[in-house]
């Protein structure tokens, strides 16, 4: 929503300083910075409408009414929780910078976020997808060869789609079968992958990439049809169309492959901390949702199979 009037000068200056703090000291991604700043601006425009012209005048009641107005507007609990967290981060920063003397968000609470279990594909569904991709790749189209390598690698590693399209050829260690991945917060990690993914990527490099490469390609591992680096939208489309074609899953998008990879690793006996490292989670609690997925799958299997379930 575009605001007709600008923020008061001192409030606007605080937003720009907070933006620089996120970009510089915290090294947040462009997407994260944009979301944080949008949330803070929403809060401050609401506060301005209540007569606030400087941060010291910001009170807990204003913060609560801001969240309440959005809840009444139908905003999800997940978004409300995120916006409350942003407000707390902003006022905590303002306190450290001595822009305020009391943090008004210390007692700010928002509805607890829903944590729905992520969609997970069964092994048979993954098998059907990969068989189709292998058949398509056998016809020799460079795009089909690429798509097979993309999906094999997403499932083998559980990396995010943004991490996948950001890969350069030099990030691939074919001998060790590992990837050097730049994740959230510019944190680098090494992720292993298996033999099928190695074969698919090697096939792409041997008989796919060279047919698409142009002066725009640079070192990008995966390319679009015009030779430039493959973007996230293209990767999402590839995976979404494959999942839709299955006809027997509500899962959609590349993140379903990330969820599936994590769950299959844990189902196979992988250590939780090893999976945390592979996925690039900063907190083990984030990875633990996949143990809940596995337990839920176990419960469903039990109820379907046991005569006295």
């Amino acid at each position: 929503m575009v605001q007709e009037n600008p923020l008061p000068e001192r409030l606007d200056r605080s937003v720009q300083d907070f933006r620089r703090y996120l970009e510089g000291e915290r090294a947040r991604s462009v997407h994260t910075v944009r979301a944080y700043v949008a949330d803070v601006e929403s809060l401050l425009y609401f506060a301005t409408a209540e007569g606030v012209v400087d941060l010291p005048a910001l009170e807990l009641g204003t913060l609560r009414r801001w969240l309440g107005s959005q809840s009444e507007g139908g905003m999800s609990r997940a978004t409300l929780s995120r916006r409350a967290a942003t407000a707390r981060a902003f006022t905590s920063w303002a306190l450290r910078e001595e822009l305020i003397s009391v943090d008004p968000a210390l007692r700010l609470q928002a509805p607890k976020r829903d944590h729905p279990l992520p969609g997970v594909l069964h092994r048979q569904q993954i098998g059907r997808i990969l068989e189709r991709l292998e058949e398509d790749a056998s016809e020799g189209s460079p795009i089909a060869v690429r798509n097979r390598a993309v999906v094999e690698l997403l499932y083998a590693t559980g990396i995010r789609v943004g991490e996948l399209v950001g890969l350069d050829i030099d990030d691939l260690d074919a001998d060790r079968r590992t990837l050097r991945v730049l994740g959230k917060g510019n944190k680098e990690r090494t992720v292993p992958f298996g033999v099928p993914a190695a074969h698919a990527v090697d096939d792409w490099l041997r008989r796919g990439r060279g047919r698409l490469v142009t002066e725009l390609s640079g070192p990008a591992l995966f390319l679009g049809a015009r030779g430039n680096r493959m973007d996230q939208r293209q990767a999402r489309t590839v995976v979404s169309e494959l999942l839709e074609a299955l006809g027997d899953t509500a899962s959609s998008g590349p993140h379903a492959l990330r969820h599936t990879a994590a769950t299959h690793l844990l189902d196979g006996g992988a250590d939780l901390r090893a999976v945390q490292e592979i996925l690039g989670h900063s907190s083990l609690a984030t990875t633990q949702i996949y143990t809940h997925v596995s337990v839920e799958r176990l419960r469903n299997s039990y109820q379907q199979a046991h005569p006295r379930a």
Side-chain angles (χ1 to χ4, degrees), residues 110-297:
K112 291 185 177 179
R113 295 183 61 174
D114 293 324
H115 289 287
L117 295 178
V120 175
L121 299 169
H122 294 287
R123 295 174 187 268
Q124 297 89 337
Q125 293 172 316
I126 286 288
R128 283 157 51 199
I129 288 175
L130 297 178
E131 286 175 7
R132 173 182 169 180
L133 288 166
E134 188 170 359
E135 290 177 5
D136 291 345
S138 67
E139 298 177 3
S141 162
I143 295 297
V145 175
R146 181 205 66 188
N147 291 349
R148 177 194 173 207
V150 162
V151 175
E152 283 277 14
L153 210 54
L154 284 172
Y155 174 57
T157 62
I159 61 176
R160 304 173 179 93
V161 66
E163 295 169 344
L164 176 109
V165 300
L167 290 172
D168 291 337
I169 293 176
D170 288 345
D171 293 325
L172 178 73
D173 188 331
D175 293 333
R176 293 192 175 100
R177 293 205 303 272
T178 59
L179 292 174
R180 183 174 63 240
V181 178
L182 190 62
K184 289 186 175 180
N186 291 323
K187 294 180 180 178
E188 188 177 290
R189 69 186 190 279
T190 299
V191 181
F193 56 90
V195 173
H199 288 166
V201 173
D202 179 66
D203 190 32
W204 157 245
L205 292 175
R206 283 188 299 103
R207 66 187 187 102
R209 187 179 185 279
R211 295 163 62 186
L212 296 179
V213 71
T214 69
E215 66 275 7
L216 301 175
S217 302
L221 177 59
F222 292 112
L223 306 178
R226 297 182 179 179
N228 49 348
R229 184 183 293 273
M230 187 182 193
D231 61 35
Q232 293 192 40
R233 179 187 56 79
Q234 293 168 323
R236 292 182 191 282
T237 298
V238 168
V239 178
S240 295
E241 289 179 351
L242 287 167
L243 294 177
E244 185 176 350
L246 279 178
D248 57 359
T249 179
S251 300
S252 62
H255 227 62
L257 295 181
R258 178 169 165 86
H259 296 323
T260 300
T263 303
H264 289 180
L265 280 168
L266 290 169
D267 285 348
D271 177 75
L272 187 64
R273 290 199 176 276
V275 176
Q276 176 191 5
E277 180 67 22
I278 289 170
L279 296 180
H281 288 157
S282 58
S283 168
L284 189 64
T286 307
T287 315
Q288 284 177 328
I289 188 173
Y290 297 106
T291 64
H292 302 157
V293 174
S294 296
V295 169
E296 186 67 23
R297 284 156 61 91

